[in-house]
Amino acid sequence: MNLWRILLAFLYGVMLGVLWECASMGVLLAATLVEHFCGTLVMAVIFLGFAAMAFAVAARADLGRPLLSILVFRLSAQLAMTIGTGSILLTTMLHDTPACTSDLLRTAGWPAPLLRVLRVLLPHQWLRRIQGVEPPYGPPFLRVLAAVISREWLGWMPSFGLPYLMALPGTITFKPGVAKRATASASMQLTSAFGGWLPGGTQELTGVYTYACRDVMYGDFYYLFRYQAFWMRPAAMVLLHAFGSLLMKMLLMHAYAALFMLLAQGNCRDAFRAEVKRRLDRLHRRLWPRPPVRLIPLEAGDLCAFCHEELLPAAEASGEGFAGVDAGGSSRDVDGGGAWAEGAPPGPTAKALLHCRWGCGKAVHRECAASWGRNSCVYCSAPMV
């Protein structure tokens, strides 16, 4: 029986985790759709505004620290996973980069039939000069692109005497090709990104990346590798914008996932709901104000509904006035109902009172109502503040 309970609790936790991740992915997709139709600025204002408002509500309900703890935990896990995945990709890319050298002699041409004899008679370097060599395998285009990015975007960083990690032993050049025209709307969208890099009336700029390297073992041949691709320099701002947008949406996804994980706890959800209801009640009273109700006069022997102590100390019950209640027993409208009247400072055992101003008009101790944690009257459930 205990085993089944443990298994059900485990499955329940797994289900909650799946629901959290699905909800966070839904936030990511919604942010992507809003960005696509309305722009990055509108997306940032909407989703960052909701996230900031949720954090403000959580902080007011004393849930700010657990919410930040969950968010920091998720971000640290994401950062560790990103570093691990990036390290694996970088190591694989560097490991799979072929060396710029070749020992394979050409088997075509007039000396090909005599190659076996020439191998015995002539040195290997002479054979390389006479017969030539087959070019080695070129590095993949992503490897060349990484070298271009490290040279043009990270060239300002100090090298401290060490070669750049992504650099290649050679030179990389770009030769623009024939520009392609596009529709007017697409051309207008890319005008600000490409600026003065593109010739007039064009939208795309294609060309050839050429990677030239000298044989690292013998130094007698240069090898050329060409890649048909787009020119990355004019698209740098577009790539930076896309990277920043992706980073913002990932941060929003983790922020909302942390909020969902926090609200999965019953007590946290109740506190968050109570704070939201309190803010909505306050907004409703500001938009549609109404006069407060008549405050019920305090009499000697009236008890607090929480601590069951007398609301009026003995000195006040003998005739000294209290804010909200005259000495004669009539009610007065005072802000909050918890300030003592002029000339009658509270005694050492006196406690400030809080009246229900929107319902029954009864009073309780302010400290007791604050420790209760709800913005509702204990008698009639009307908002207290």
Side-chain angles (χ1 to χ4, degrees):
M1 193 66 179
N2 293 331
L3 181 61
W4 281 107
R5 290 181 179 179
I6 295 174
L7 182 60
L8 289 177
F10 173 76
L11 293 178
Y12 177 73
V14 172
M15 183 188 67
L16 285 181
V18 172
L19 290 177
W20 295 333
E21 297 303 325
C22 291
S24 60
M25 289 300 297
V27 171
L28 179 62
L29 293 177
T32 304
L33 290 177
V34 172
E35 183 184 21
H36 177 72
F37 290 105
C38 302
T40 305
L41 181 61
V42 176
M43 182 270 294
V45 169
I46 293 176
F47 286 88
L48 287 178
F50 275 111
M53 184 171 59
F55 177 77
V57 173
R60 184 67 177 175
D62 292 334
L63 300 175
R65 181 173 296 181
L67 181 60
L68 285 179
S69 301
I70 297 174
L71 179 59
V72 170
F73 171 76
R74 289 187 61 92
L75 291 179
S76 59
Q78 180 68 51
L79 181 61
M81 185 172 61
T82 303
I83 292 176
T85 305
S87 301
I88 293 175
L89 293 177
L90 181 61
T91 304
T92 304
M93 184 182 297
L94 294 178
H95 178 73
D96 293 342
T97 302
C100 187
T101 185
S102 176
D103 278 331
L104 184 61
L105 298 176
R106 289 185 177 178
T107 57
W110 63 268
L114 303 178
L115 188 58
R116 293 184 178 180
V117 179
L118 294 177
R119 287 178 185 273
V120 179
L121 299 178
L122 298 177
H124 183 69
Q125 292 188 353
W126 289 18
L127 286 177
R128 290 173 60 88
R129 292 287 186 178
I130 295 173
Q131 186 65 15
V133 295
E134 295 290 342
Y137 290 103
F141 176 68
L142 289 180
R143 180 68 180 86
V144 177
L145 184 60
V148 173
I149 293 176
S150 65
R151 182 188 65 186
E152 296 192 1
W153 290 8
L154 304 179
W156 55 272
M157 298 178 61
S159 61
F160 300 105
L162 299 176
Y164 288 114
L165 185 62
M166 302 301 297
L168 286 172
T171 59
I172 303 174
T173 57
F174 179 82
K175 182 179 180 181
V178 180
K180 299 179 180 180
R181 294 182 177 271
T183 60
S185 59
S187 178
M188 290 176 61
Q189 292 176 1
L190 293 177
T191 301
S192 60
F194 288 167
W197 293 96
L198 297 180
T202 61
Q203 179 243 342
E204 294 179 354
L205 185 61
T206 59
V208 177
Y209 275 103
T210 302
Y211 169 53
C213 63
R214 189 175 183 179
D215 196 295
V216 295
M217 184 175 296
Y218 300 99
D220 51 359
F221 285 100
Y222 281 91
Y223 306 107
L224 300 179
F225 305 97
R226 293 181 173 87
Y227 305 89
Q228 185 78 20
F230 293 99
W231 196 9
M232 298 303 298
R233 180 187 291 268
M237 295 304 298
V238 178
L239 292 178
L240 288 177
H241 176 270
F243 178 76
S245 174
L246 178 61
L247 187 63
M248 182 189 304
K249 286 184 283 189
M250 291 297 293
L251 181 62
L252 287 172
M253 182 186 72
H254 286 291
Y256 281 93
L259 179 63
F260 298 151
M261 294 174 66
L262 181 70
L263 296 182
Q265 307 296 325
N267 54 348
C268 297
R269 185 169 57 250
D270 292 340
F272 191 87
R273 186 189 298 117
E275 180 62 24
V276 171
K277 186 177 180 181
R278 187 183 72 84
R279 288 174 177 257
L280 291 178
D281 290 339
R282 182 182 298 175
L283 178 63
H284 183 270
R285 292 197 303 269
R286 288 182 178 178
L287 295 179
W288 295 279
R290 64 173 182 173
V293 299
R294 175 181 175 273
L295 305 184
I296 296 180
L298 298 180
E299 298 178 355
D302 289 346
L303 302 179
C304 174
F306 296 101
C307 63
H308 302 289
E309 295 180 1
E310 291 191 9
L311 294 175
L312 285 180
E316 297 301 325
S318 63
E320 295 182 8
F322 179 81
V325 181
D326 284 337
S330 61
S331 171
R332 292 190 300 178
D333 183 14
V334 182
D335 289 341
W340 291 90
E342 254 184 27
T349 61
K351 293 184 179 179
L353 302 185
L354 183 66
H355 284 79
C356 176
R357 305 185 63 192
W358 310 102
C360 61
K362 297 181 179 180
V364 293
H365 287 141
R366 181 181 293 273
E367 294 180 0
C368 298
S371 63
W372 191 33
R374 299 183 184 179
N375 182 40
S376 58
C377 177
V378 69
Y379 296 105
C380 64
S381 300
M384 295 288 288
V385 180

